[in-house]
Amino acid sequence: MPKIECVSAMEILDSRGRPTVGAWCEFASGARAWASIPSGASTGRAEAVELRDGDPNRHGGLGCRKAVGHVNREINSALRGKSFADQRQLDETIIALDGTPNKSKLGANALLAVSIAFARANAMEAKKPLFEHFASMVDESSQTLPRLTINLFSGGKHAGGQVPIQDVLIVPLSASSIDQGLADASAVYRAATALCARKYQMRPLVADEGGLAPPFPTIDAMLEDAVESIRSPGFAPGKDIAIAIDVASSHFFSEGRYHLEGRSLLPGQMIDQVAQWVERYPIISVEDALAEEDWSNWPALQRRIGNHALVLGDDLLCTNPQRIAQAIESDAASALLLKVNQIGTLTEAAEAHALAKKAGWSITISARSGETEDDWLADLAVGWSGNQIKVGSITRSERLAKYNRLLMIEAQTRWPVANWPKAKP
Ligand code: PGA
Ligand code: ZN
């Protein structure tokens, strides 16, 4: 069992130019690993607390010096000179040190940076690739790579709200490798770039996750443009390449209604609207079609579209085992969007993962809209046998870091890409 020499952290900037936390974990043996962590913009209310300094004179209050200080002082003092049998023991120690239900004392950003740096140092120590080390943390033996879901068009909070839906993603279904999936996605992205120039006189400027974000007049126009971009390089929509959407509807839900394109929809009407999109377009996964607090209507959504598309919970679930258990109990969803920083440690995210797997759900391992150049998410998606991975588009290097790491893992393992999960019977 390696002994921790020290842990330390520093503030760095993420892909939006906002501060985030990176941490070192150093073992007495000399193994020394770094990990930096992402940050969301379209966040769920039940997420663990990302500790920010709140000093308006520095980074608009978003500085992470307090969180960094907590790693350098409290967390380092608690870990220095100690050995931990496994990730769980380390995570339980820092969770107890924080002592709050939502990690508001030390900050989930401080805890997660240490949690992942520790995992990476252990992988180094064992001379194992990180994905293999991640696999040993969960009960996973399936040797597959995650199916890509790649951002094509952006809206909502990632693109200044020019259209209410947050993501239209493409899913390369006929591609049997990551390499082919990226090539196919790139052909569609090029076609979409040309479409944006022709229809919207837009240069290919990209949003937070690298998606194109022209001023679509309507949601239907956005979805039709996606289908046209799939078709124009010669792909069959729904067969070669399908569509996934993140409605991120919590952000246009208030007082029991969904405020969408000038309409004010009751939950039942919102379900009708989503069902119509699923019928009309080759959509196979729908994330956050209903709002995070609209729990009672999720089961009806699931009954309505669950045979045709994954009912994927992001803000609803917040990678939180208690919320996931509640959703399984009420049959509110069929898939988990897993974002480790929503919960704050690898061990708790592994619990979320185990619950979802046991319920027969599909799992999409996801990045955040604010990312760094770190690529651990690709290893996590492989090690934890994620059915899908959601990293953003194929532009912007913080996204490509993960795709390029997947290419490396593919070259090393030659594992096949996971099949799209079968629809619920
Ligand atoms: P976020 O959004 O990373 O900005 O929170 C991503 C998502 O909603 O899937
Ligand atoms: Zn989402």
Side-chain angles (χ1 to χ4, degrees):
M1 263 190 301
K3 189 196 282 182
I4 293 183
E5 179 74 20
C6 74
V7 294
S8 61
M10 60 180 286
E11 186 189 74
I12 59 169
L13 298 185
D14 72 14
S15 54
R16 278 191 281 250
R18 296 180 188 169
T20 187
V21 180
W24 290 102
C25 176
E26 191 172 341
F27 288 161
S29 62
R32 185 167 187 257
W34 165 263
S36 62
I37 60 155
S39 168
S42 162
T43 47
R45 285 200 200 148
E47 292 195 22
V49 172
E50 194 177 75
L51 195 65
R52 299 287 186 178
D53 297 342
D55 171 3
N57 297 319
R58 193 169 176 278
H59 288 295
L62 295 176
C64 291
R65 283 179 172 170
K66 282 185 190 160
V68 162
H70 291 150
V71 176
N72 291 338
R73 288 188 296 275
E74 290 94 324
I75 299 180
N76 183 43
S77 303
L79 304 185
R80 200 177 47 206
K82 299 218 173 81
S83 298
F84 294 90
D86 53 20
Q87 186 75 36
R88 172 172 289 277
Q89 222 183 60
L90 180 284
D91 286 339
E92 282 175 353
T93 304
I94 56 178
I95 290 167
L97 193 65
D98 173 82
T100 67
N102 57 359
K103 307 190 173 62
S104 54
K105 185 172 165 220
L106 300 178
N109 38 0
L111 265 57
L112 185 62
V114 170
S115 184
I116 295 175
F118 175 78
R120 201 175 244 156
N122 266 302
M124 267 181 186
E125 180 81 15
K127 298 194 169 44
K128 273 190 193 170
L130 185 56
F131 67 86
E132 257 183 62
H133 179 67
F134 280 144
S136 69
M137 249 176 241
V138 292
D139 206 10
E140 271 307 338
S141 52
S142 68
Q143 300 192 327
T144 55
L145 304 175
R147 175 94 22 210
L148 301 169
T149 63
I150 297 179
N151 193 302
L152 182 68
F153 293 140
S154 296
K157 292 209 161 199
H158 298 163
Q162 93 289 21
V163 61
I165 284 201
Q166 188 172 288
D167 305 314
V168 172
L169 305 108
I170 46 176
V171 186
L173 279 184
S174 58
S176 57
S177 66
I178 298 289
D179 178 63
Q180 189 58 47
L182 287 171
D184 291 356
S186 162
V188 176
Y189 194 90
R190 275 200 306 279
T193 302
L195 177 149
C196 289
R198 197 177 63 246
K199 277 197 179 167
Y200 302 104
Q201 291 76 50
M202 278 281 290
R203 282 178 290 148
L205 301 175
V206 300
D208 286 2
E209 295 192 349
L212 298 161
F216 301 108
T218 59
I219 294 166
D220 276 290
M222 187 187 198
L223 291 164
E224 278 158 20
D225 287 346
V227 174
E228 190 180 329
S229 305
I230 291 169
R231 204 167 262 140
S232 92
F235 296 111
K239 192 159 169 278
D240 297 323
I241 303 214
I243 290 177
I245 57 175
D246 182 0
V247 185
S249 64
S250 302
H251 304 292
F252 52 83
F253 181 71
S254 64
E255 288 158 14
R257 286 178 176 264
Y258 293 87
H259 303 278
L260 195 65
E261 301 189 314
R263 293 170 297 158
S264 172
L265 304 178
L266 288 164
Q269 295 171 308
M270 183 65 195
I271 293 174
D272 289 343
Q273 172 64 84
V274 173
Q276 219 178 74
W277 291 329
V278 171
E279 265 162 39
R280 195 174 296 164
Y281 307 103
I283 295 175
I284 57 171
S285 173
V286 182
E287 182 180 335
D288 284 350
L290 295 176
E292 61 196 324
E293 68 256 50
D294 195 10
W295 274 97
S296 62
N297 289 299
W298 278 77
L301 168 76
Q302 160 93 325
R303 286 194 294 276
R304 183 76 179 275
I305 67 166
N307 288 334
H308 308 284
L310 294 177
V311 177
L312 180 57
D314 172 15
D315 292 351
L316 176 79
L317 305 170
C318 283
T319 317
N320 182 314
Q322 279 166 8
R323 295 177 74 93
I324 294 165
Q326 186 183 339
I328 292 169
E329 175 74 33
S330 57
D331 202 19
S334 63
L336 166 68
L337 195 85
L338 187 147
K339 293 168 164 170
V340 189
N341 78 328
Q342 284 182 325
I343 188 73
T345 62
L346 281 169
T347 297
E348 292 158 292
E351 278 165 25
H353 174 275
L355 272 177
K357 277 267 152 135
K358 191 155 169 257
W361 283 17
S362 161
I363 298 180
T364 298
I365 309 273
S366 175
R368 302 304 304 248
S369 52
E371 271 291 333
T372 75
E373 63 282 9
D374 202 333
D375 58 7
W376 56 261
L377 191 86
D379 286 79
L380 191 79
V382 175
W384 286 9
S385 300
N387 306 78
Q388 295 90 32
I389 186 168
K390 182 186 179 201
V391 168
S393 199
I394 49 158
T395 60
R396 298 186 61 132
S397 288
E398 77 279 4
R399 316 284 147 195
L400 270 301
K402 283 74 164 171
Y403 291 130
N404 289 340
R405 175 67 187 144
L406 282 178
L407 286 171
M408 274 183 218
I409 297 174
E410 178 167 76
Q412 187 184 342
T413 62
R414 302 267 159 221
W415 290 346
V417 172
N419 289 325
W420 190 261
K422 287 202 175 65
K424 273 175 83 85

